Amino acid sequence: MGGQVYAQATSELWSTAGSEPARIVVARAVGLLAGRARCRLADAHRHLMRMASAQHRDVGEVAGRVIRLLDSAGAVDDRPGPETVQRLVAVALAGPGTVVPEPAPATGPTPWLSIVQGVLDALPGMAGYLTPVRGPDGTGLTDLVWAAVSPDAISPDGRCGAELLGLPVSRHYPDVLTADRWQTYQRVLETGEPADIGPLHLGDAEFTVRARALGPGLLLSWDRRDATDRSRVERLANLGWGEWNLVSGEISWSPQMYRIYDRDPGLGPLSLDDGHALTVVEDRPQLLSALEFLHRGRRADVVTRIRSGDRVKHLRIVCEAVRDGEGRTLRLYGIIQDVTEQQAGAERLAEVERDLAAEHELAARLQRIILPVPTEAIDLPGLSAAVRYLPAGDDTALGGDWYQAIPLPDDSVLLAVGDVAGHGTQAATTMAQLRHALRALAVVTSDPGALLGHLNRLTCDLERDNPELAATAVIARFDPIRGELTWAQAGHPPPLVSRSGRTAPLHRPPGPMLGVLDDAAYTSAVTPFGGDDVLLLYTDGLVESRRWGWDAGLDSVITMMDAAGSAPEQPLTDLLGRLRRANPDDDACILAVRPSMADARLAGLTPCPSAASFR
């Protein structure tokens, strides 16, 4: 389809390049760029415009530089005018039965052949321009000589492209001088009537040849008829091609087009109007808009629906138009692909996406029901507390991290953070059982070590039904009268205490993970807590990562708390907002508390010792 693209690009160039000499220069530069880069003329045209814009130069000036760089054929000023170039394209693209008047005699061979070569440089496929060799009396056709050739042209003896230039055809096809097609070539040269020849069998291959008169010579283009391979490719891609000649009314379809439209090949191809009638009513305005786009000389790419029997098919239609020098549309070339399966797949993906969104919303609701996380600070006897829950990257799965912060009957406060390994319903169920059990057990005892002992026996009992169950926890009791924190842990990361702008982890008393030993014992430790101290209880998702060690994650949190310690008036919710989990695949639950000096019972407390004393 390179010739059609060239015609379209050339027509666009006439409207953008300015004066006629500038148009010729730009057209030549575009041809050279396309030939060198082996790209479409339209792409070369856009590239040239971008070059001019980037260099802040006139497009004609940049085109001249491109020609001087890529073409050593000589000056541009003596090239044929734009009428010659337009006629050249019109002749090259003329269909069967189309008569094109003879061009004006060329002023010399070099400019003419240079223009012809520029056209062929941009054409994909095999084509060549041949000059006739006449008999002694100037009549009769004795041979043809390669004068210009497309890069993809190849002869039976293996010569290709520029290697053919200057050689007689009889050297490659010695039998052609006596073949029937030789008379066809003579007739095309004498009458100007184009001809299509084929199929021709040359060696093991089959070809079709198009012959067109072009000035004093003959323009040939030929295609190898690999019908089986081409049909296989069309079936694999589920696409076909079609050509609609708007002048003659002739329509050509590939075999796959009939399969796409479920049409009997004996009925012939559909006209544009008949194809439009099959389009789903809601999609017809979109298709008409695409056709308007084509008639303005631009490529159309649209997905539309057609009704085929009791089925609805989704078709992707990619079309280009060929126009004459006055902008009138002559032909439409289109590739049509049945994308029904792809569209169905896209709709299924959209449905999965909607399901995932619904699942995410359900998981978030369940998480809020099982573990409500307040957005504001919590007021407790002698304490102010704040909670933050950071879900894992897969936030559609329920996690097993939990917290507890409740007042006790003796005006002390129970604080806890725990972690059940894994995600999903089982982890969330175990988490809820441990959290609610802790609240119930706190009615019997407020000793952290004793409470962990009870939770351990419960976890061991649950582990019998779930052998892979693993859980950790830390429990603390704050006495606002004494200004003391009594705490114990079960295989859990140590709490952090920030005091006077310095943060350090508490030294952990012994205590195994929950559910490991039926008769495990848990020892409690005591540390002072008052003034501007801040306590941080957290799960391992905050500090533990595959990319770095536990210590590096802990140091990062300590650095953040040290910076916050320089502003003791900072709200706890702001402090927690600065923390980020170290492991995106794991949840993190964080509970931060500080003494509330508004409580009169704390007014007489003495300052706590330095941070070094609670290591």
Side-chain angles (χ1 to χ4, degrees):
M1 295 174 64
Q4 290 82 356
V5 177
Y6 183 84
Q8 177 180 338
T10 304
S11 179
E12 292 175 354
L13 288 172
W14 293 162
S15 62
T16 59
S19 65
E20 289 187 358
R23 293 171 183 170
I24 300 171
V25 173
V26 172
R28 178 59 178 158
V30 167
L32 289 171
L33 280 174
R36 179 63 60 90
R38 304 297 298 278
C39 67
R40 300 187 317 149
L41 265 293
D43 294 335
H45 179 208
R46 285 191 290 269
H47 183 73
L48 184 66
M49 295 303 174
R50 284 196 295 268
M51 290 173 60
S53 177
Q55 298 176 21
H56 303 289
R57 296 174 181 271
D58 179 75
V59 65
E61 181 182 354
V62 175
R65 297 180 63 185
V66 168
I67 292 171
R68 288 192 294 273
L69 179 65
L70 300 180
D71 185 17
S72 59
V76 179
D77 295 338
D78 61 345
R79 308 286 175 145
E83 299 83 2
T84 304
V85 178
Q86 289 177 337
R87 289 203 67 269
L88 170 65
V89 175
V91 173
L93 301 178
T98 302
V99 179
V100 179
E102 286 290 329
T107 58
T110 303
W112 171 259
L113 292 180
S114 179
I115 293 292
V116 174
Q117 185 63 62
V119 176
L120 297 184
D121 282 341
L123 288 177
M126 297 180 286
Y129 179 66
L130 302 98
T131 56
V133 177
R134 304 289 183 179
D137 57 355
T139 61
L141 181 65
T142 61
D143 212 330
L144 291 167
V145 176
W146 296 96
V149 66
S150 68
D152 292 336
I154 188 169
S155 65
D157 62 358
R159 295 178 184 268
C160 60
E163 296 176 342
L164 294 168
L165 294 177
L167 299 178
V169 170
S170 58
R171 175 169 177 173
H172 315 290
Y173 305 97
D175 298 333
V176 71
L177 301 179
T178 58
D180 292 341
R181 65 181 183 278
W182 193 253
Q183 284 72 36
T184 302
Y185 294 158
Q186 294 187 72
R187 185 170 64 253
V188 171
L189 286 170
E190 293 170 359
T191 66
E193 291 281 350
D196 291 340
I197 308 169
L200 296 175
H201 294 277
L202 301 175
D204 297 331
E206 187 177 286
F207 293 86
T208 56
V209 180
R210 277 189 169 185
R212 302 291 184 270
L214 181 61
L218 189 68
L219 181 67
L220 296 181
S221 61
W222 59 100
D223 296 310
R224 184 164 180 163
R225 293 172 59 90
D226 296 320
T228 302
D229 292 340
R230 185 164 56 244
S231 179
R232 185 181 296 116
V233 170
E234 288 185 2
R235 285 196 300 272
L236 286 173
N238 207 4
L239 60 81
W241 59 265
E243 176 183 340
W244 292 262
N245 190 319
L246 304 185
V247 178
S248 66
E250 180 184 2
I251 304 174
S252 299
W253 268 17
S254 69
Q256 187 65 15
M257 287 282 280
Y258 292 96
R259 299 187 186 98
I260 291 174
Y261 281 90
D262 297 320
R263 185 171 175 82
D264 182 356
L267 298 176
L270 289 170
S271 67
L272 291 176
D273 290 339
D274 291 339
H276 184 262
L278 295 178
T279 305
V280 173
V281 174
E282 295 81 0
D283 291 358
R284 290 179 184 177
Q286 181 186 21
L287 188 59
L288 288 174
S289 177
L291 287 174
E292 282 295 321
F293 212 58
L294 274 173
H295 289 309
R296 292 199 299 269
R298 304 177 70 179
R299 173 176 167 174
D301 189 337
V302 64
V303 175
T304 187
R305 294 171 296 171
I306 66 165
R307 294 195 180 277
S308 177
D310 57 352
R311 299 177 57 200
V312 173
K313 289 188 174 184
H314 294 259
L315 304 184
R316 182 187 179 191
I317 303 173
V318 182
C319 282
E320 287 184 342
V322 175
R323 299 182 298 161
D324 61 16
E326 298 180 3
R328 292 171 299 193
T329 305
L330 301 177
R331 297 184 186 181
L332 296 180
Y333 294 86
I335 296 176
I336 297 180
Q337 184 177 24
D338 186 347
V339 294
T340 304
E341 286 301 317
Q342 295 93 314
Q343 188 68 24
E347 292 174 357
R348 288 192 293 268
L349 287 174
E351 183 178 354
V352 170
E353 185 177 353
R354 289 192 295 269
D355 292 342
L356 288 176
E359 183 180 348
H360 166 68
E361 177 60 24
L362 177 61
R365 289 183 181 181
L366 290 175
Q367 192 80 50
R368 290 193 292 269
I369 294 171
I370 297 173
L371 187 69
V373 177
T375 57
E376 303 294 334
I378 308 170
D379 290 326
L380 297 166
L383 286 180
S384 178
V387 183
R388 189 174 184 208
Y389 188 87
L390 302 173
D394 181 12
D395 51 8
T396 61
L398 297 171
D401 293 30
W402 58 275
Y403 79 96
Q404 194 63 273
I406 55 174
L408 297 176
D410 60 358
D411 286 335
S412 63
V413 178
L414 183 70
L415 306 168
V417 164
D419 185 2
V420 178
H423 288 86
T425 305
Q426 186 60 52
T429 301
T430 305
M431 174 265 284
Q433 290 172 312
L434 294 178
R435 184 171 188 263
H436 294 309
L438 176 62
R439 182 155 197 163
L441 291 167
V443 177
V444 179
T445 179
S446 62
D447 178 71
L451 289 170
L452 282 175
H454 291 305
L455 291 183
N456 177 64
R457 285 187 288 276
L458 172 61
T459 307
C460 287
D461 185 60
L462 296 174
E463 196 266 344
R464 293 183 179 93
D465 296 327
N466 182 17
E468 297 183 2
L469 177 62
T472 67
V474 59
I475 300 176
R477 174 182 176 271
F478 174 66
D479 185 342
I481 301 298
R482 295 177 175 273
E484 288 182 345
L485 197 69
T486 303
W487 71 285
Q489 63 84 33
H492 201 83
L496 296 175
V497 172
S498 179
R499 180 171 296 148
S500 301
R502 185 179 175 195
T503 304
L506 296 177
H507 180 71
R508 294 195 305 173
M513 293 178 61
L514 300 176
V516 176
L517 301 172
D518 287 335
D519 56 351
Y522 297 91
T523 304
S524 295
V526 180
T527 185
F529 190 69
D532 291 332
D533 294 351
V534 175
L535 172 72
L536 196 73
L537 306 180
Y538 55 93
T539 55
D540 59 2
L542 182 66
V543 296
E544 192 172 32
S545 170
R546 297 190 185 98
R547 292 179 295 172
W548 54 73
W550 186 87
D551 290 338
L554 187 63
D555 288 344
S556 176
V557 176
I558 289 175
T559 300
M560 181 66 68
M561 291 190 66
D562 285 346
S566 61
E569 72 283 355
Q570 182 185 38
L572 291 175
T573 52
D574 290 351
L575 169 64
L576 295 186
R578 295 173 177 266
L579 296 175
R580 300 289 184 271
R581 63 179 181 272
N583 185 0
D585 298 325
D586 198 4
D587 302 84
C589 184
I590 315 167
L591 173 63
V593 297
R594 69 155 47 108
S596 174
M597 296 308 295
D599 195 312
R601 290 169 296 184
L602 293 179
L605 289 180
T606 57
C608 291
S610 66
S613 65
F614 51 73
R615 279 190 175 275

